[in-house]
Amino acid sequence: MFDAAPQRETLLEVNNIEVIYNHVILVLKGVSLSVPKGGITALLGGNGAGKTTTLKAISNLLHSERGEVTKGAISYRGERVQELDPASLVKKGVIQVMEGRHCFEHLTIEENLLTGAYTRGDGRAAIARDLEMVYSYFPRLKERRKSQAGYTSGGEQQMCAMGRALMSRPEMILLDEPSMGLAPQLVEQIFEIVKAVNEGEGVTFLLAEQNTNVALRYAHYGYILESGRVVMDGPADALRENPDVKEFYLGMSDQGRKSFRDVRSYRRRKRWLA
Amino acid sequence: MTMQEGYTTADGRQIGGVLMDLRNITLRFGGVTAIKDISFDIREGEIRAIIGPNGAGKSSMLNVISGFYVPQEGEIWFKGYRRGPMKPYEVARLGIARTFQNIALFDGMSVLDNIMTGRLNMMKAPIWSQALWWGRAEREEVENREQVEKIIDFLEIQNIRKTPVGRLPYGLKKRVELARALAAEPRILLLDEPMAGMNVEEKEDMCRFILDVNDEFGTTIALIEHDMGVVMDLSDRVVVMDYGRKIGDGTPDEVRSNPEVISAYLGVAHE
Amino acid sequence: DLVVPNLSYRTGPYGANGTQYADGFNDYFTLLNERDGGIGGEKIQTPECETAYNTEKGVECYEATKGSGALVYNPLSTGITYQLIPKVSADKIPLYTPGYGRTSAKNGKVFEWVFNAPANYWDGASVAIKYLLDQNGGDLNGKKIALVYHNSAYGKEPIRTLQELSKKHGFTLTELPVDPPGQEQKSQWLQIRRDKPDYVLMWGWGVMNQTAIQEAANIRFPMENFIGTYWSGSEVDVKPVGAGANGYKALTFHGVGMDYPIYEDMKKHVIDPGKASQGGQYVGSVLYSRGMYAAVVIAEAIAKAQELAGTAQINATQLRDGFEALDITPERLAELGLPDFGPEIKMTCDNHGGSGMARLQQWDASAGKWSLITDFTEPDQEVLDPLILEDSEAYAKEAGISPRC
Amino acid sequence: MFYREAGDFKTSYRDDGQTFPIRLDRWGYYAILAVAFLVVPFVIDSYWANAVLVPFLIYAIAAIGLNILTGYAGQVSLGTGGFMAVGAYAVYKLMTSFPGVPIVVHIVLAGAITAVVGVLFGLPSLRIKGFYLAVATLAAQFFLVWLFNKVPWFYNYSASGQINAPERTILGWAVTGPATTASAKYLICLVFAVVLAWVARNLTRGSVGRKWMAIRDMDIAAEIIGVNPLTAKLSAFAVSSFFVGIAGALLFSVYLGAAEASEAFGINKSFLVLFMIIIGGLGSIFGSFAGAAFLVLLPVLLKNVLVAQFGWPTDLAAHIELMIVGALIVFFLIVEPHGLARLWALTKEKLRLWPFPH
Amino acid sequence: MEFLYASEVLANGLMAGVMYSLVALGFVLIYKASGVFNYAQGVMALFAAMTLVGIMEGRVPFAHLINAAFGVHVSSFGWTVPGLFAILLTALIMVGLAIAIEKLVLKHLVGQEPIILFMATIGLAWFLEGLGDVMWGADVKVLDVGLPQGISETVETMTDNWLGYGFFIDRLDIWAAVIAAALVAALVGFSQYTKQGRAMRAVADDHQAALSVGISLQFIWIMVWSIAGFVALVAGIMWGTKSGVQFSLSLIALKALPVLMLGGFTSIPGAIVGGLIIGMGEKLFEYFVGSMVGGATENWFAYVLALIFLVFRPQGLFGERIIERV
Ligand SMILES: Nc1ncnc2c1ncn2[C@@H]1O[C@H](COP(=O)(O)OP(=O)(O)OP(=O)(O)O)[C@@H](O)[C@H]1O
Ligand SMILES: Nc1ncnc2c1ncn2[C@@H]1O[C@H](COP(=O)(O)OP(=O)(O)OP(=O)(O)O)[C@@H](O)[C@H]1O
Ligand SMILES: [Mg+2]
Ligand SMILES: [Mg+2]
């Protein structure tokens, strides 16, 4: 795997942003990151670290949650995108797959996929071609194309959400917790698809993940977020070797993986937070 | 397996007789058969895992146990009696508590109130007594509050007692849900993916809680989980489902080496 | 100054009707102020308060205005009237409800503070039946009459009277309630189309009126046989129906149109100087005339009270005496510029309802105006008096009032 | 700033369950009660009583009732007007049939009768949810009003179908009928409002309240963890209707004195009370009072300003008043969708943090 | 004879039902696209009809306000505008209204709970009601765009020849039926088979997700509210022709609610079928039972009928299945 190479063009730049919900709850306290074109960048961190919030700040979905970016700047290809509405951002090629899938329950799988092509104006034929492309990545969806999304299983919904994003022919996908609640085999499968799409279609990914293990295996570069701050970042390989990451995010001790039965104390302190 | 007496686990815990026995359960939704003729049992004091690919019917199985789905065929035996058709709330009163896959906390209430709802079945003050906040109602409230505080201490969520759950991060919500289930002092605790969306550290905490509940209160636990590490480390026996069928049942080691399980679920042999 | 609050409604479901009435009411007092400098030298104020035909707002308006020395109330709503009856009795302020309100308030022995001359609902019902008797040579035996009514306190008022009258005259009465507002009356009119009653009476208000007239036209019910009460006979009710409404009849207790000398003064002192309420767009309409007529009666009662009290600055109690001594003769009406506009109104301590005389008017669609077709007719007091006695005594018992006079 | 919770430590679980955990709040509350009981009755005139305070208190009771059903138990109802009519007609029948019994007993009984009717119409809620239920409760609204309009027994066979409240006294003071003084009207409503608000507060902080809220937030989950939806929903309907019935009884007997089902208890009433709780804040007792105050006071205020101050024609003023109230409703919802109560809570939260936000 | 009369009642019930459906359609559209129960639909119908009359008669908007403020007496421009052109203008105004509603109200309430949005539409209803009156005055207005009214003689003679009893069918109702059928066909086609229709349904399911795939809520809402405004105009024309344009027109919304409930809030065909069932049911009930219990049963019966249906099908006849999972 390659290094997060500075020679690569930077697609997205997040510069020291602060996010406040409901005018009172400060969630991001100065987060900066940059996403190189054509790479897979992982955003790691515990619950409530602010991963989702970061992604939503980028895709401008914060407004409907009564949140706002109060400081800092977000630029996409060097252009400030904070003031754009989500739709224009999708047109520019940035699309988000939301945490918890958010499929349109009452639409069929195929209709769900077609909504992904909403912003496109390149004709039915092109859309039909891409539909086939999505079905080739996710054969399971093809089987269930006529069923209402609300009745499909979690894995199918995750595929549907990703397929839907692909239908917009994006340059960059913000992927929020793709592995949540998926069977191990499917997790691998989804990440394989991410990789395939990344390599085959040249789509850039910024993914937020709890499953550090898998994420670091597929990502090129990673950022670790804790309570609204970036506490560590580096190339994926380097992170994987970092002893803190090993202990807290990969569950490995010096003796290799330790059993969940053997964990004794609940509270451990992170060295960098001390 | 028909043995009525228990067995002893590798680490020396004593497992009792059959507490719940599911026999030939079949569940259909319109044309879809979510569960096909599945039988398995859960023993007293055991940690029983249910695994399988997405859409295999695991959550549906829990829903059948909780009485939310009524299977078209099959019988459920609990504590040696056959359970007739029951409403979910009646099932809860038998001592079966659970958590949900997509967190089902009561968003409009505080953490404390959420956990108190777990004890609703132990609070029986008549409505007029509650209206006047006098006599039994007040006494009960304080007594149950004490119990709930114990659980709050146990799960280390003292500092968020009064926070509305809607504002909590995911991991804490899961913990609160567990607290609510524990508050009911259940015989069997059903956990539907309690560790989804957590990082290793949080999973470790959650595992600790589950083991402690099992140890301290002797609560029987049925657990759905996708993290094989967790399943293999925690559970005494594992049921594997695929497309509504049972494809494996046994100790973690047995299951892990079952070729059908590997091809349907694990993908690669796990470590 | 003398204060006569105008509890009007120019909004809400009945705003279209209420606004014309309120204009007439205001304009007459403006005329008196402009032309005569008020009554007995005292200017009249008519502070307006919007009730939207809503009882609670009515109460609010009453409370808001009564402190300013209000002399009399005229809320143009049966519901509000019922609300105010106990209140005015406690506060000792007269309530004047011509042609609406509580019919049995005619009995001044029980309802000391309420006046409803010249005619009430039951008078109307009786006059309508009398007219039909006339049309049929005095015999309604075996005839079928249908009553289409607003399903509310107001609409239910005439039922008992009509039932009594049907016993007396041998016609059959079919009651057809219409739920307010009353835009859907298909069932009622299909039934009328099938039963083919000889006559249809209507107790409606607001949109119900025009819908009924439209439906009657639709089923080609002969308009001459369709008679509305006072409140179902204004321009707003017939105009939307167009030519189909031609020949429709309605009760009234006053004249219509602009052919009265008073309008010359009105034009000169009120309309032309731009002092008319809402610019005077409804002058001469039925409801405008009625509002004006109510103002005339109140003004006359004030004058009478001033005469009795020997002061121009009268209070509410003195106005009650004025009402109870009121006698508006035909001569006096002519003097006011309203010859033959209304019946003679003579009220006493026990009679707060006057003679109860009413007349009929008919709509001429091509000319676009109402014309009077009968003279003032006396109702059948023989039937009405016992009913009024019964109802007012029941009230007296319930409210613990011992009759006076 | 004085507004601090620091230093306010609880030493028992009982204290912790208090209604006003912050001492300053508690004092404020006692002060308001003292003024309401000891000062207002002596200065009140009939305008303030009849146009402002009495309707405010009565609507507050109705709003608390509806808030229990909608705000706490999550069952949207548009039948409030109908249930108020039940209370009104019940108290009328009781007052006229048993003149010897104290009026307070009648009013409470009227509430109880309404509770029974409420439970009856609450039965469909077991299957019907959300807006479907809201519309279904309209069936109650229209049916009840029709019934009271149609069956003469309810209005003692009076000619027009109007009902009139006869005079009744408490300790020699008239509380209904024309002779009632402004302060008597105000006091009886105040006593009911305060007692009922306290009862509502007790119910909602105890186990019944938790059942209701559980059903509201997620009914399926609630059932699975052991809440019987039948009893939870029906008890909400019963308690709510009890409150609403009392409000209806007071509205008729104390406030209006005369009423007619379709006019006084029409569909508009149902909407009005619903507005109150939404503007005030769903699931909040304080919000019920705030919402009632807002919707009773605002129109009166606007009317006074537009007509009395600016001298506008009444109809224009009425139309513009409608526009302003409508616009304000939208404005408030945009500023704080969870109502005045939340607005108040947020303000307090900010005060607590002041002057160091975050 | 009784039977024939009952069939006549039934036929008229069906026709009345169509008139209810016209109003219900507007509700369905907005509910489908935004999960908003638009209480203001009835007032929108009133507002549209008032505007139409105002334009046709060349009234000066806000005349009353201008007169009060400046002490002048303006009321009319002195011209009249032909019906069709006026309808077009009114439709444009309704689009303007939709844009204003989106900009001032909906935009700020994205993602709120349904009851909050519902409440906002009530505020809107009040505002619009006041605005309509201030703009055009509260008098009863006669609306005549040339739709025929009164008994259809063709039907009457036809049935008389066949059955010996001439049926009464209002010509206006026949027109309403034709227009409603056309509207429904167009709307169903739109929502099921077009990209915008699909987007509209997506928005209804999940605002956030719709935003995330690049659907502009703003555009969808303006579009839907415009269509609903147009439907309101149609309803306003039909009802206004029938009983004049005035305040009570806004109350027809109450007749549409049971229709919605029965048909399902999200189904366009449901609005029609619901309307037919309600219209037919209430008229027949009034005929068979109403006379025994004193009449005026129509208002509540419609709701009770809908309620009974709901007990068996909680999402209405054609509503989308309520997905209940944990
Ligand atoms: N709408 C909201 N209003 C108020 N606070 C919020 C809101 N959404 C999120 N938060 C808070 O912001 C913090 C960060 O949340 P965020 O969802 O970004 O975390 P995350 O890193 O994605 O966590 P997870 O892994 O659990 O998804 C949390 O403490 C959460 O409680
Ligand atoms: N209420 C329902 N109506 C229709 N189909 C349903 C319903 N509930 C579940 N199903 C179907 O039953 C099957 C099993 O679903 P279930 O939720 O039990 O899967 P699962 O094993 O829990 O999967 P996951 O790991 O993704 O949670 C799926 O195909 C699902 O679509
Ligand atoms: Mg997240
Ligand atoms: Mg599951």
Side-chain angles (χ1 to χ4, degrees), chain E residues 82-260:
Chain E
L84 222 54
F85 186 57
I87 290 178
L88 211 71
L89 279 180
T90 313
L92 281 180
I93 291 179
M94 295 312 282
V95 173
L97 185 69
I99 294 174
I101 291 173
E102 199 282 331
K103 288 258 174 299
L104 298 174
V105 185
L106 299 175
K107 194 167 120 189
H108 307 281
L109 290 171
V110 180
Q112 293 301 341
E113 287 159 50
I115 188 156
I116 303 294
L117 288 161
F118 168 62
M119 189 65 202
T121 64
I122 294 178
L124 184 68
W126 287 16
F127 182 83
L128 269 187
E129 191 187 319
L131 181 69
D133 284 350
V134 173
M135 244 171 118
W136 306 110
D139 53 328
V140 178
K141 299 171 190 70
V142 181
L143 173 62
D144 183 9
V145 291
L147 287 171
Q149 274 204 81
I151 185 163
S152 158
E153 264 129 35
T154 340
V155 174
E156 194 187 23
T157 41
M158 230 159 59
T159 45
D160 202 17
N161 290 342
W162 286 349
L163 311 164
Y165 175 72
F167 272 31
F168 170 86
I169 301 284
D170 197 328
R171 278 182 292 171
L172 185 67
D173 286 347
I174 298 177
W175 271 92
V178 172
I179 291 172
L183 262 185
V184 168
L187 290 175
V188 168
F190 169 76
S191 102
Q192 289 299 330
Y193 303 110
T194 67
K195 170 175 152 181
Q196 303 298 357
R198 197 161 49 229
M200 177 180 103
R201 286 185 291 141
V203 170
D205 259 5
D206 192 329
H207 291 177
Q208 280 257 330
L211 276 174
S212 82
V213 297
I215 295 173
S216 155
L217 291 189
Q218 184 180 352
F219 174 74
I220 295 289
W221 282 348
I222 290 178
M223 174 184 79
V224 170
W225 280 73
S226 302
I227 301 175
F230 179 73
V231 174
L233 173 63
V234 174
I237 292 176
M238 302 313 289
W239 279 92
T241 305
K242 190 174 147 103
S243 51
V245 178
Q246 57 175 314
F247 174 85
S248 307
L249 190 68
S250 63
L251 302 179
I252 51 172
L254 291 178
K255 297 249 67 164
L257 294 185
V259 171
L260 281 173

Side-chain angles (χ1 to χ4, degrees), chain D residues 74-321:
Chain D
Q75 313 296 306
V76 186
S77 162
L78 286 173
T80 320
F83 295 132
M84 284 176 91
V86 175
Y89 279 78
V91 87
Y92 173 69
K93 286 304 287 185
L94 288 167
M95 278 166 97
T96 49
S97 314
F98 310 100
V101 178
I103 175 83
V104 174
V105 176
H106 285 325
I107 292 176
V108 173
L109 275 180
I113 291 171
T114 316
V116 174
V117 177
V119 168
L120 217 63
F121 281 99
L123 284 173
S125 72
L126 298 175
R127 271 192 64 81
I128 306 171
K129 290 174 185 165
F131 276 115
Y132 285 99
L133 179 66
V135 183
T137 51
L138 283 174
Q141 168 70 46
F142 285 108
F143 178 74
L144 289 169
V145 165
W146 175 86
L147 190 73
F148 294 127
N149 212 340
K150 211 82 255 177
V151 181
W153 179 80
F154 285 115
Y155 47 86
N156 284 355
Y157 305 93
S158 79
S160 61
Q162 287 267 2
I163 54 175
N164 287 286
E167 180 171 307
R168 293 290 179 266
T169 56
I170 296 176
L171 308 172
W173 290 76
V175 291
T176 66
T180 315
T181 60
S183 42
K185 275 188 186 188
Y186 164 77
L187 273 176
I188 183 169
C189 292
L190 183 68
V191 169
F192 269 105
V194 169
V195 171
L196 288 175
W198 177 71
V199 165
R201 164 66 196 160
N202 287 341
L203 284 174
T204 51
R205 68 176 158 164
S207 63
V208 195
R210 290 197 193 98
K211 279 184 192 164
W212 291 338
M213 290 189 272
I215 287 282
R216 168 194 70 189
D217 286 345
M218 206 172 278
D219 53 353
I220 301 173
E223 185 171 359
I224 293 176
I225 68 159
V227 177
N228 181 349
L230 178 84
T231 52
K233 286 182 181 173
L234 292 188
S235 65
F237 265 95
V239 174
S240 158
S241 306
F242 177 76
F243 279 57
V244 170
I246 287 188
L250 289 172
L251 186 86
F252 155 69
S253 63
V254 176
Y255 174 40
L256 293 178
E260 180 201 350
S262 53
E263 224 290 316
F265 302 107
I267 173 84
N268 287 336
K269 199 117 296 178
S270 299
F271 277 117
L272 184 70
V273 181
L274 186 66
F275 300 166
M276 287 175 179
I277 63 168
I278 296 177
I279 291 281
L282 289 171
S284 156
I285 309 273
F286 167 76
S288 311
F289 281 94
F294 184 84
L295 282 172
V296 169
L297 283 178
L298 189 69
V300 174
L301 192 77
L302 280 178
K303 185 163 153 177
N304 281 331
V305 170
L306 294 178
V307 180
Q309 300 297 312
F310 297 171
W312 286 9
T314 51
D315 54 336
L316 199 58
H319 295 147
I320 289 179
E321 179 193 314

Side-chain angles (χ1 to χ4, degrees), chain A residues 87 90-91 93-97 102 104 107-122 127 130-131 134 160-170, chain E residues 195 198-199 202 209-215:
Chain A
V90 173
K91 281 201 193 115
V94 184
I95 192 161
Q96 177 166 9
V97 176
H102 285 272
F104 302 119
L107 269 58
T108 63
I109 293 285
E110 185 154 313
E111 283 177 325
N112 262 286
L113 295 178
L114 287 173
T115 54
Y118 180 79
T119 48
R120 286 172 58 175
D122 51 357
I127 292 175
D130 282 356
L131 196 60
V134 170
C160 174
M162 277 185 60
R164 191 172 68 189
L166 282 178
M167 287 299 290
S168 73
R169 283 239 145 244
Chain E
K195 170 175 152 181
R198 197 161 49 229
L211 276 174
S212 82
V213 297
I215 295 173

Side-chain angles (χ1 to χ4, degrees), chain A residues 46-47 140 153 181-186 210 248-249 251 257-261 263-264 266-268 270, chain B residues 13 54-55 156 171 193 197 199-202 204-205 207-208 211-212 226 233-234 243 263-265 271:
Chain A
N47 289 119
R140 179 89 187 127
S153 79
L182 296 192
Q185 200 188 20
L186 256 179
Q210 295 270 15
F248 298 123
Y249 292 95
R257 202 185 78 84
K258 67 177 183 245
S259 169
F260 283 101
R261 266 196 188 274
V263 182
R264 277 297 161 228
Y266 305 139
R267 204 171 294 148
R268 281 140 294 139
K270 302 230 162 73
Chain B
R13 287 182 308 127
N54 295 105
E156 303 189 339
E193 304 198 15
N199 63 17
V200 174
E201 187 190 358
E202 290 154 342
E204 286 174 354
D205 285 353
C207 286
R208 198 62 254 155
L211 290 171
D212 284 353
H226 282 308
D233 291 348
L234 254 55
Y243 276 104
S263 74
Y265 183 57
E271 284 165 46

Side-chain angles (χ1 to χ4, degrees), chain C residues 56 60 63 82-83 153 156, chain D residues 50 59 149 160 258 260 269:
Chain C
E56 276 154 66
E60 198 255 322
E63 296 292 347
Y82 270 84
Q83 222 75 234
K156 282 192 282 195
Chain D
N50 286 323
Y59 281 120
N149 212 340
S160 61
E260 180 201 350
K269 199 117 296 178

